[in-house]
């Protein structure tokens, strides 16, 4: 059975729709208002008996003015809008239309009087003006009444009482925006300001609260269900965990603008797209500074060029594809061995970048003949190498695959880049390569060692007298975990919370660095552009985040009750914290405050190539212990943690 409120909403929606009120009904309604206004004005100015005595002339005048009102209505199309969506522009158009009615009515009255007829001159010029003013006010009122009734009925029981975090232009602009939304989603209760001078003040008719107040009590008292964050206060809110904890703990949902990081002010007002609100995820609330990257140089480098991206279907790879495609390269070659995700990449390119020529290839980077064919036919100018096995526990159980895919695959791609004259090769590495405690991290460190030593060899060969070989610049980028990636804990936690828990965390003390995927990819592109070859660029990942705190925050944001956190112990090869630099390494500054260059030990190319060839042969025999033993010889700082390979460290 339909509830009363739902029934009323349905009737209201039906009654006030454009389909039910065609333009002629609105015209007729306005004409009746004009007629009534004329009679009412005459009656107010004159006595009722006089009105009765002159009823014939008055009625003729009123009908004529009502008909004349259609002229202005036609000129300004006051009947074309939907009444429930009437706005200021509609009211102004009504005023203009009635100004035309006034001029026409006054002209008819004067002409009628001039020719000695009293049929259409029941009103004096002053009374004509009064009648038109009354009609205008009544027409405005009718539209506002319809809009108010519709808003009240249609939003009944569906609005969320909210506070806005931030005042001034951002907060006020957001408040005005939500008040004009149709249907109404939010009811503004108050503002939260960081400035103490606003305490107990009022803005836009609602109270301003400050950060020193008990916001949880305010939420409870005012029955607040959500907090909208001003687009200009996102970073302040993100870095204020005390306020977050108060609001989330009180059961508030947090809403931010989708384009908050790129909030723009146009003519003193926030751009409309900055106001598109959505409920935030935990990624939006991690304390971190906004990373700003200028991609002008990247655009100059990639526009009209041939670009090859490996690992194109992965989290980082797909974002790299999007960001590179926007610069309109001549052609893109996208490589990954995952068939279904590659199909998604193909569909994405066809939908979002139909003007960019691209080829989507399903294959492994370790297939030499296939890579030879791709490089010889495509002749890439720039290579972004993101392909790698990344899951620590999986590679701990399959070290041979880590060698054959991560190390040998990188060697194949790097060697082809030199052979076919690639201008620049940019490799995506990881903080797990620093003081590695697992197979995956060590495999990436060996990749770093190889491409850095190959860079020196390529440069040396290109400088030889009579050499026709071009110098291929090899650049490595190293950063930590990216939020929302396929290997991130966040999708796992979301699924566990959805299923009622428990949320599994390996250790209460474990911490990790996090960065958003688009931010990481922009830094990769800028570092790759500005690098001159041989560098290992290290990204400033901000403050590390405790995974246990991350889990607690996700549980609170979800609103789930009774979800527990279970500590399962460190997995094989896992360590409590990640480092971005080896303790013996230093860094030096670069062109960007968030990017530094690691000063690392240099390796001889011939020795590295020989060691890797030997390592690959061992991996092909699938002897895990022999394979890992060789990896430890190449990277002496590799010390296994919570792993079966710890026995190899004791041998040494």
């Amino acid at each position: 059975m339909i509830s009363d409120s739902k029934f009323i909403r349905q009737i209201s929606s039906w009654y006030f729709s454009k389909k039910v009120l065609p333009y002629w009904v609105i015209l007729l309604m306005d004409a009746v208002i004009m007629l009534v206004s004329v009679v009412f004005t005459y009656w107010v100015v004159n006595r009722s008996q006089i009105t009765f005595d002159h009823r014939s002339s008055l009625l003729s005048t009123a009908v004529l003015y009502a008909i004349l009102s259609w002229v202005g209505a036609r000129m300004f199309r006051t009947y074309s809008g939907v009444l429930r969506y009437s706005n200021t522009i509609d009211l102004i158009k009504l005023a203009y239309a009635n100004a035309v009615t006034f001029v026409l009515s006054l002209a008819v009255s004067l002409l009628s009087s001039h020719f000695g007829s009293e049929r259409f001159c029941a009103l004096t010029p002053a009374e004509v003006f009064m009648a038109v003013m009354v009609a205008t006010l009544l027409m405005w009122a009718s539209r506002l009444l319809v809009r108010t009734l519709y808003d009240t009925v249609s939003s009944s029981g569906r609005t969320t009482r909210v506070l806005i975090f931030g005042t001034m232009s951002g907060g006020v602009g957001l408040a005005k925006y939500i008040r004009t939304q149709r249907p109404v989603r939010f009811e503004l209760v108050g503002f939260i300001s960081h400035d103490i001078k606003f305490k107990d003040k009022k803005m836009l008719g609602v109270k301003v609260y400050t950060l020193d107040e008990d916001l949880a009590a305010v939420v409870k008292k005012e029955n607040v269900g959500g907090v909208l964050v001003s687009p200009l206060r996102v970073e302040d809110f993100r870095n204020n965990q005390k306020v977050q904890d108060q609001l989330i703990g009180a059961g508030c949902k947090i809403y931010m603008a989708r384009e908050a990081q790129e909030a723009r002010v146009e003519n003193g007002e926030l751009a409309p797209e900055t106001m598109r609100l959505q409920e935030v995820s935990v990624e939006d609330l991690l304390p971190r500074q906004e990373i700003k990257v200028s991609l002008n140089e990247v655009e100059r480098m990639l526009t009209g060029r041939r670009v090859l991206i490996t690992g194109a279907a992965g989290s980082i790879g797909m974002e790299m594809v999007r960001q590179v495609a926007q610069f309109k390269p001549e052609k893109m070659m996208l490589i990954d061995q995952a068939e279904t995700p590659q199909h998604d990449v193909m569909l994405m390119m066809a939908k979002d970048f139909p003007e960019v020529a691209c080829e989507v290839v399903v294959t492994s980077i370790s297939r030499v003949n296939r890579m030879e064919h791709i490089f010889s036919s495509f002749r890439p100018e720039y290579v972004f190498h993101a392909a790698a096995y990344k899951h620590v526990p999986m590679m701990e159980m399959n070290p041979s695959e880590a060698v054959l895919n991560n190390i040998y695959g990188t060697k194949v791609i790097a060697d082809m880049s030199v052979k076919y004259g690639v201008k620049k090769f940019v490799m995506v590495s990881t903080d797990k390569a620093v003081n590695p405690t697992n197979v995956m991290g060590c495999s990436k460190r060996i990749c770093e060692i190889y491409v850095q030593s190959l860079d020196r060899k390529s440069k040396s060969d290109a400088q030889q007298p009579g050499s026709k070989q071009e110098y291929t610049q090899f650049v490595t980028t190293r950063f930590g975990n990216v939020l929302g990636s396929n290997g991130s804990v966040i999708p796992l936690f979301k699924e566990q919370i959805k299923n009622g828990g428990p949320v599994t965390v390996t250790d209460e003390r474990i911490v990790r660095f996090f960065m958003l995927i688009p931010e990481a990819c922009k830094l990769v592109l800028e570092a790759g552009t500005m690098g001159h070859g041989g560098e290992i660029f290290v990204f400033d990942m901000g403050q590390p985040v405790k995974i246990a705190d991350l889990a607690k925050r996700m549980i609170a944001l979800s609103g789930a009750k009774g979800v527990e956190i279970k500590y399962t112990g460190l997995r094989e090869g896992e360590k409590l914290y990640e480092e971005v630099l080896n303790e013996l390494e230093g860094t030096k500054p670069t062109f960007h405050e968030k990017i530094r260059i690691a000063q690392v030990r240099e390796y001889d190319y011939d020795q590295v190539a020989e060691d890797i060839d030997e390592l690959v042969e061992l991996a092909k025999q699938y002897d895990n212990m022999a394979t890992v033993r060789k990896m430890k010889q190449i990277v002496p700082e590799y010390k296994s943690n919570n792993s079966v390979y710890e026995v190899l460290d004791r041998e040494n």
Side-chain angles (χ1 to χ4, degrees):
M1 186 175 180
I2 301 176
S3 65
D4 292 343
S5 61
K6 184 175 181 181
F7 177 75
I8 293 173
R9 285 198 299 270
Q10 289 178 344
I11 292 297
S12 173
S13 177
W14 171 79
Y15 182 73
F16 293 123
S17 70
K18 188 173 182 179
K19 180 179 179 181
V20 176
L21 287 182
Y23 75 91
W24 61 265
V25 174
I26 299 174
L27 272 175
L28 183 61
M29 180 184 73
D30 289 345
V32 170
I33 289 176
M34 181 61 72
L35 188 150
V36 170
S37 298
V38 171
V39 175
F40 174 76
T41 300
Y42 188 87
W43 178 82
V44 168
V45 174
N46 303 282
R47 299 192 306 272
S48 57
Q49 183 59 42
I50 294 177
T51 304
F52 180 78
D53 292 342
H54 295 81
R55 59 185 181 274
S56 177
S57 174
L58 176 60
L59 186 59
S60 298
T61 302
V63 170
L64 177 64
Y65 288 6
I67 294 172
L68 291 176
S69 70
W70 289 349
V71 177
R74 178 69 178 175
M75 290 174 61
F76 294 96
R77 300 182 61 82
T78 59
Y79 51 83
S80 61
V82 181
L83 291 189
R84 67 188 185 195
Y85 296 135
S86 297
N87 54 32
T88 305
I89 295 175
D90 295 320
L91 301 186
I92 292 174
K93 286 165 65 176
L94 271 173
Y96 289 157
N98 284 342
V100 172
T101 303
F102 168 69
V103 172
L104 293 176
S105 300
L106 187 61
V108 169
S109 295
L110 292 175
L111 286 172
S112 180
S113 177
H114 177 74
F115 288 107
S117 172
E118 297 183 356
R119 186 169 181 80
F120 300 116
C121 54
L123 275 65
T124 65
E127 291 171 350
V128 173
F129 179 76
M130 290 176 58
V132 173
M133 288 296 296
V134 170
T136 302
L137 293 174
L138 288 177
M139 290 177 190
W140 284 356
S142 66
R143 282 155 173 78
L144 293 176
L145 178 62
V146 169
R147 172 174 158 171
T148 302
L149 286 174
Y150 179 78
D151 289 346
T152 301
V153 174
S154 64
S155 63
S156 177
R158 295 192 295 178
T159 57
T160 302
R161 291 170 62 83
V162 296
L163 298 168
I164 290 181
F165 183 88
T167 50
M168 308 308 289
S169 60
V172 171
L174 185 56
K176 291 178 180 178
Y177 172 76
I178 65 171
R179 285 180 169 179
T180 58
Q181 274 189 308
R182 295 294 177 268
V184 179
R185 291 176 61 195
F186 304 109
E187 178 187 350
L188 181 60
V189 174
F191 292 91
I192 301 173
S193 175
H194 69 290
D195 195 336
I196 194 70
K197 73 181 181 183
F198 285 104
K199 188 171 184 177
D200 295 327
K201 303 290 185 181
K202 283 196 172 184
M203 294 182 68
L204 300 183
V206 295
K207 189 174 179 181
V208 178
Y209 303 93
T210 53
L211 298 180
D212 63 337
E213 298 184 56
D214 186 352
L215 295 177
V218 173
V219 169
K220 184 176 180 181
K221 177 184 176 183
E222 299 293 341
N223 192 28
V224 173
V227 173
L228 314 183
V229 181
S230 161
L232 303 182
R233 288 289 173 190
V234 169
E235 191 170 332
D236 291 339
F237 185 81
R238 185 183 288 132
N239 292 324
N240 197 326
Q241 288 198 285
K242 179 182 177 183
V243 170
Q244 290 179 32
D245 291 341
Q246 285 189 66
L247 297 172
I248 294 172
C252 275
K253 293 182 178 180
I254 311 297
Y255 298 86
M256 289 182 184
R258 294 178 183 177
E259 290 82 7
Q261 290 187 344
E262 300 175 2
R264 302 198 316 277
V265 178
E266 299 175 353
N267 300 322
E269 296 286 340
L270 283 167
E273 65 268 20
T274 346
M275 301 296 190
R276 295 171 190 159
L277 299 165
Q278 65 177 4
E279 190 175 346
V280 304
S281 60
V282 68
E283 294 96 316
D284 299 300
L285 296 182
L286 287 179
R288 56 185 176 82
Q289 290 186 335
E290 180 183 344
I291 297 176
K292 296 181 179 179
V293 177
S294 173
L295 296 178
N296 293 333
E297 288 298 323
V298 179
E299 182 174 10
R300 278 193 284 271
M301 181 181 82
L302 298 180
T303 300
R305 303 291 188 172
R306 296 182 303 280
V307 181
L308 184 148
I309 299 176
T310 71
S315 306
I316 293 290
M318 186 176 286
E319 181 62 26
M320 291 287 294
V321 170
R322 291 191 189 96
Q323 293 194 15
V324 169
Q326 69 179 322
F327 299 125
K328 295 181 172 55
E330 177 189 332
K331 191 173 182 180
M332 297 177 69
M333 174 70 70
L334 312 178
I335 299 174
D336 203 293
Q337 63 181 344
E339 179 202 10
T340 300
Q342 273 290 75
H343 183 257
D344 295 337
V345 171
M346 182 175 68
L347 295 178
M348 183 269 290
M349 288 296 295
K351 176 178 178 292
D352 298 339
F353 306 99
E355 72 285 358
V356 178
C358 78
E359 187 172 346
V360 181
V361 177
V362 178
T363 189
S364 169
I365 58 173
S366 59
R367 292 180 59 189
V368 180
N369 292 339
R370 187 71 171 107
M371 293 302 105
E372 180 90 45
H373 179 266
I374 287 173
F375 272 79
S376 63
S377 59
F378 183 66
R379 296 283 176 162
E381 296 171 270
Y382 294 91
V383 172
F384 292 92
H385 177 44
Y389 288 143
K390 301 178 179 70
H391 288 276
V392 170
M394 291 299 294
M395 294 304 97
E396 208 68 13
M397 292 185 288
N398 300 275
S400 297
E401 295 303 326
V403 170
L404 295 174
N405 185 78
N406 292 5
I407 301 174
Y408 182 59
T410 296
K411 185 177 185 300
V412 169
I413 296 294
D415 290 346
M416 294 295 173
S417 296
V418 173
K419 182 176 180 179
Y420 290 98
V422 169
K423 296 179 184 296
K424 188 166 290 187
F425 178 105
V426 182
M427 185 180 78
V428 175
S429 189
T430 170
D431 56 3
K432 293 177 176 63
V434 184
N435 291 329
T437 60
N438 51 67
V439 169
M440 195 283 285
C442 184
S443 72
K444 294 299 286 183
R445 177 60 190 136
I446 295 174
C447 292
E448 292 181 354
I449 292 170
Y450 183 74
V451 299
Q452 195 173 34
S453 63
L454 181 58
D455 179 88
R456 285 192 298 276
K457 181 179 185 299
S458 174
K459 186 174 184 179
S460 175
D461 291 346
Q463 293 174 344
Q464 294 298 318
S467 174
K468 295 182 180 180
Q469 179 180 316
E470 292 188 23
Y471 168 40
T472 300
Q473 298 176 353
F474 287 88
V475 175
T476 298
T477 58
R478 185 193 284 173
F479 55 91
N481 302 278
V482 285
L483 292 164
S485 68
N486 295 331
S488 171
V489 296
I490 290 177
L492 173 63
F493 286 174
K494 284 181 179 177
E495 185 66 23
Q496 291 175 334
I497 293 170
K498 179 181 176 182
N499 294 332
V503 174
T504 56
V505 178
T506 55
D507 192 287
E508 189 174 9
R509 300 164 294 170
I510 197 167
V511 297
R512 290 291 182 265
F513 292 98
F514 286 100
M515 181 179 285
L516 292 178
I517 294 175
E519 292 177 344
C521 290
K522 285 179 181 178
L523 289 175
V524 169
L525 287 174
E526 182 166 22
T529 304
M530 304 304 290
H532 299 296
E535 304 99 334
I536 294 181
F537 287 108
V538 179
F539 297 165
D540 180 357
M541 301 289 290
Q543 296 298 315
V545 177
K546 286 187 70 174
I547 300 300
D549 291 344
L550 182 65
K552 293 173 185 176
R553 180 63 56 86
M554 290 186 67
I555 293 171
L557 275 174
S558 71
K561 304 296 182 183
V563 177
E564 297 181 352
I565 296 177
K566 180 180 179 182
Y567 297 102
T568 59
L570 291 175
R571 299 173 298 176
E572 287 190 10
E574 190 172 38
K575 52 185 175 181
L576 288 174
Y577 59 93
E578 304 289 1
E579 305 145 286
V580 183
L581 289 174
N582 182 295
E583 61 182 7
L584 298 178
E585 295 173 350
T587 63
K588 51 186 179 181
T590 67
F591 42 84
H592 193 289
E593 61 179 2
K594 291 288 182 180
I595 306 175
R596 297 184 69 84
I597 297 176
Q599 295 176 299
V600 297
R601 172 180 143 203
E602 295 185 352
Y603 288 75
D604 176 69
Y605 171 78
D606 292 331
Q607 183 61 54
V608 171
E610 182 181 332
D611 285 337
I612 288 179
D613 288 342
E614 184 180 337
L615 176 62
V616 170
E617 289 305 314
L618 287 170
K620 289 178 180 178
Q621 298 172 25
Y622 300 100
D623 184 335
N624 290 348
M625 281 296 175
T627 299
V628 175
R629 181 181 288 110
K630 183 61 181 178
M631 294 176 75
K632 289 178 180 291
Q633 291 174 9
I634 299 173
V635 184
E637 65 269 25
Y638 168 28
K639 305 296 180 186
S640 297
N641 183 39
N642 192 36
S643 169
V644 294
Y645 307 119
E646 289 179 73
V647 64
L648 299 175
D649 298 324
R650 291 193 288 271
E651 286 181 2
N652 297 326

